[in-house]
Amino acid sequence: MINEQTIQNLIDEKLSGTDVFLVEFRVKTDNKIRVFIDSERGITIDDCVALSRHIEGNLDREQEDFGLDVSSAGLDLPLRVPRQFKKNVGRTVHVIMNDGIEIKGKLTEATDEDFQVLPEIKKKKKASTLRQAQCPTAKIMETDEIQPVSINYIDQKSTKIVLIF
């Protein structure tokens, strides 16, 4: 089986000094290698080809056969590393916490330790018809200001970008 540390070293060697960063890689027991990369500017096919050629050129298929797939992290995959969170500040995210609680809102900040989400709150009806009939001057005042929720990376199960069309 192909050594994961060897793959890690090859990825680090190629990406060092570039704006491209590793999101995740896996080496399966059948020597299928999957690498996901990202950058602040987005990933091009040339970025994927360059890394793929570097990895493939430093492994010997005669010694051990393998499959290799290098691609961008993509919007359908969860955010994995702090750099992805930082890149996506300002976007709407859907967070599933380890305890099952779900939070949907705007990603407002990200550090190396945690990130903050300003939860979306569904608008409440201002007053029910019955309440207005009983007291026509009754108003519901919203005095609670919504505050961002700080989430440690280890406390979240997954965080995905919400695509808004």
Side-chain angles (χ1 to χ4, degrees):
M1 186 168 155
I2 292 179
N3 184 312
E4 286 189 3
Q5 189 59 52
T6 300
I7 301 303
Q8 180 72 59
N9 292 342
L10 290 170
I11 293 168
D12 291 345
E13 180 181 298
K14 182 64 179 173
L15 300 184
S16 177
T18 71
D19 67 336
V20 178
F21 58 91
L22 175 66
V23 172
E24 178 180 58
F25 81 94
R26 300 178 207 128
V27 179
K28 295 187 178 180
T29 55
D30 61 352
N31 281 342
K32 173 71 174 164
I33 305 164
R34 296 212 39 157
V35 181
F36 297 98
I37 55 177
D38 204 348
S39 81
E40 303 303 322
R41 60 173 166 73
I43 291 297
T44 66
I45 189 73
D46 292 336
D47 296 323
C48 295
V49 168
L51 181 57
S52 179
R53 286 183 179 160
H54 180 74
I55 294 170
E56 191 167 359
N58 285 285
L59 296 177
D60 185 1
R61 284 192 188 274
E62 297 295 324
Q63 189 177 34
E64 194 161 21
D65 196 24
F66 61 91
L68 176 61
D69 179 24
V70 177
S71 62
S72 69
L75 291 175
D76 59 328
L77 296 176
L79 302 178
R80 299 269 190 226
V81 296
R83 280 182 76 175
Q84 284 184 293
F85 285 82
K86 292 174 186 177
K87 171 186 171 182
N88 287 291
V89 166
R91 297 187 83 170
T92 301
V93 294
H94 179 234
V95 182
I96 300 175
M97 302 297 290
N98 290 333
D99 61 6
I101 293 173
E102 296 185 29
I103 302 168
K104 182 179 175 184
K106 184 177 180 178
L107 180 61
T108 58
E109 187 179 333
T111 68
D112 289 338
E113 293 80 35
D114 60 10
F115 61 99
Q116 291 188 358
V117 175
L118 182 63
E120 286 182 359
I121 303 297
K122 293 182 181 178
K123 293 181 180 177
K124 298 177 184 176
K125 294 181 181 178
K126 292 203 178 198
S128 70
T129 307
L130 178 59
R131 187 169 178 186
Q132 284 181 346
Q134 291 172 343
C135 182
T137 59
K139 294 181 183 176
I140 295 177
M141 298 179 64
E142 295 184 17
T143 57
D144 295 335
E145 187 176 316
I146 302 167
Q147 296 294 321
V149 176
S150 184
I151 303 168
N152 193 303
Y153 293 111
I154 61 171
D155 294 333
Q156 54 98 29
K157 184 175 185 178
S158 74
T159 299
K160 289 186 176 184
I161 301 296
V162 176
L163 299 178
I164 300 172
F165 297 98

